[in-house]
Amino acid sequence: MVASSTPDVADAASIAPRHLVLLVLMNLVWGLNLIASKIGVAQFPPILFTALRFGSLAIFLLPLLKIHRGQMGNLFLAAMLTGPAAFSLLFLGVYYAEDAATVAIASQMGVPISTLLSIWLLGETIRWRRTLGITLAFGGMVIISFDPRVFAYWEGLALVVASTFFASLGLIFVKRLHNIKALELQSWIAVAGGSTLMLLSLLFEQGQWQAIQAADWKAWSALAFTTLMSSLLAHTAWYYLVGKYPVTSLSPITLLSPLFGIFFGVTLLDDQLTSRMLLGGAVTLIGVFIVVLREKRLVDTGT
């Protein structure tokens, strides 16, 4: 398991106030990261923007890159799926979708998809509560997709959901890793992502150099934010908290991330939310919340 450690807090389910503040700030950064990404892909080709993000991150994490004999196959698949595969689809989805708010909701589909993959690949069984949550999550996305405004860019939303599938699939391989620190994994993701995505950008996109020359301070600031604040600081904070608390105790609070994304999408990017978007978003997030809470209960009670 990556970065696994025994929680050193007496009551792991009770998060210390300072760590709760850190968790909220981390989700605030992730909510703003969606806005920064939207600004970035407006001036950079989306795959190029993703490649620049991972390439910049690799500069900071390159000293942590290590060979782990006997695990490189799983490490490679974990890095490629959670890195270039997931993020290229995510940023393509951000590029094609008009509203950051709907992207924030769609990005939460990783929770029910992870559960479905656990059933398929790991033989896990679920009961009616999680089945209800998964059904609500997908049902909410259907409601959103048939909104006339969203239907015009349904491909973008589909790409975001596809990105959560590859990220969830990558986590299956992450769980097979042993004695690899989280930032070591992130260094492999950064190196693999930067090089692979740059090649994909050269193959499938055009005007990269022109975009780099024409990009203004907003685009470069967006790139810096996604690299430093989101990938480096927020993810480091997440790994720090995972080392102190069970993931199931932290996961419910991470639902603040899409709420921040929706808020900033409306206030900063003037996203227009219709009643159908709001209804579908509420149904999806309720479904995700049910899955997360049920998984926490299963861990806490051992049932």
Side-chain angles (χ1 to χ4, degrees), residues 111-112 114-116 118 124 126 130 134 247-249 251 288-301 303:
V111 173
S114 292
T115 303
L116 291 175
S118 295
E124 183 178 346
I126 64 172
R130 280 196 289 175
I134 292 170
V247 174
T248 49
S249 294
S251 293
V288 172
F289 190 62
I290 290 172
V291 175
V292 168
L293 280 188
R294 182 56 186 165
E295 288 179 349
K296 180 183 187 308
R297 179 176 175 81
L298 289 173
V299 171
D300 289 348
T301 63
T303 60

Side-chain angles (χ1 to χ4, degrees), residues 101-185:
T102 54
V103 172
I105 296 168
S107 65
Q108 296 305 300
M109 291 302 293
V111 173
I113 288 175
S114 292
T115 303
L116 291 175
L117 285 174
S118 295
I119 297 170
W120 176 35
L121 298 176
L122 303 179
E124 183 178 346
T125 58
I126 64 172
R127 296 185 179 179
W128 70 269
R129 290 182 182 85
R130 280 196 289 175
T131 300
L132 173 63
I134 292 170
T135 303
L136 287 174
F138 280 96
M141 289 306 304
V142 171
I143 294 172
I144 293 174
S145 299
F146 280 95
D147 183 278
R149 177 178 173 85
V150 178
F151 193 76
Y153 60 80
W154 68 268
E155 300 96 332
L157 221 57
L159 287 168
V160 174
V161 175
S163 77
T164 66
F165 170 80
F166 283 102
S168 300
L169 185 60
L171 288 177
I172 300 294
F173 294 96
V174 169
K175 291 177 180 179
R176 296 178 180 178
L177 301 174
H178 302 281
N179 301 319
I180 298 178
K181 294 180 180 179
L183 285 177
E184 290 179 24
L185 172 62

